[in-house]
Amino acid sequence: MARVTVEGSEVVVRLGLREGLAARRRQVRVPVSALREVHVERSWWRVLRGRAGSGTWSPGRCSGIRRRPDGEDFVAVKAESTVLCLELAEGAPFRRVAVSVPDAARAERAVREVMPQDPGPEHGTGPGPEPGPRDASPRPALQHEGGTADDHGRQPGVPSRTGSDAGRPPLDAERVERANADRVRRDHVVPGTPGARS
């Protein structure tokens, strides 16, 4: 797993041997001045956004660069792990660095201590409120985390936005009756049972 440390004016992500070979690099260095947000994600696959670029993308283990219209993300994550996410400003080497680390909460605290107090031009013009502790998961807890939301973060009873009924108006009883009026309906009878026609 990766280790995240703060060295002077940089946050240094040192990859484990396996992640380093997969991503074709041993470390990622990010200027502290480029940090905009840091948070912990408990569902590792939620940090994968954009298209897969260079690296290794196998089920449950992803290391490399993800390409997006507004820049690139660097990820080194594996299944069933907690991920530290560093959101970065424009001009940084990546837009997001997301890595599985052994103690994500401790790494988050260490990075948050050195984050710039000024949110920068991307998030406002003047100094903003001091960044406080952020809930590790603003979304509802998933079922494997003890919650009731499904894998897409939907609570029970909330319809899918992309499923078979997405965007379809409710059924109109009169239209359904007209559509079924001229359908030929046959009894489904298993041959060899009483009442079956031969």
Side-chain angles (χ1 to χ4, degrees):
M1 279 188 147
R3 288 182 301 115
V4 177
T5 57
V6 178
E7 297 179 4
S9 62
E10 291 182 316
V11 176
V12 182
V13 178
R14 287 191 172 81
L15 303 177
L17 180 62
R18 194 167 180 179
E19 291 90 358
L21 289 172
R24 299 183 188 101
R25 65 172 67 208
R26 287 306 310 260
Q27 64 182 4
V28 175
R29 291 181 171 266
V30 174
V32 168
S33 60
L35 289 171
R36 289 296 171 259
E37 180 59 52
V38 57
H39 62 95
V40 172
E41 177 56 65
R42 291 181 294 179
S43 296
W44 67 275
W45 50 269
R46 287 183 175 269
V47 303
L48 301 176
R49 57 186 193 174
R51 293 180 299 112
S54 62
T56 301
W57 312 100
S58 58
R61 189 174 289 272
C62 301
S63 296
I65 294 175
R66 310 276 305 181
R67 293 193 170 87
R68 304 182 65 236
D70 64 341
E72 295 179 335
D73 292 353
F74 178 82
V75 298
V77 296
K78 65 179 190 174
E80 308 304 322
S81 68
T82 306
V83 179
L84 178 71
C85 295
L86 306 174
E87 305 291 344
L88 307 174
E90 285 186 39
F94 301 104
R95 296 295 296 178
R96 172 190 282 173
V97 174
V99 290
S100 295
V101 292
D103 189 350
R106 187 168 58 114
E108 179 190 21
R109 284 192 302 272
V111 173
R112 195 173 290 283
E113 286 177 7
V114 299
M115 278 183 64
Q117 300 301 313
D118 182 1
E122 187 173 309
H123 292 268
T125 53
E130 186 172 320
R134 179 181 187 268
D135 180 20
S137 180
R139 60 175 171 71
L142 304 180
Q143 292 171 359
H144 72 276
E145 298 168 341
T148 56
D150 67 8
D151 285 345
H152 303 284
R154 290 190 304 264
Q155 295 290 352
V158 176
S160 169
R161 291 175 297 174
T162 58
S164 58
D165 291 332
R168 189 179 294 176
L171 293 177
D172 178 8
E174 184 181 325
R175 286 178 50 213
V176 171
E177 191 175 316
R178 277 197 320 258
N180 289 330
D182 54 351
R183 288 181 65 188
V184 177
R185 301 218 179 250
R186 294 194 174 98
D187 292 333
H188 295 284
V189 180
V190 178
T193 59
R197 287 181 247 164
S198 42

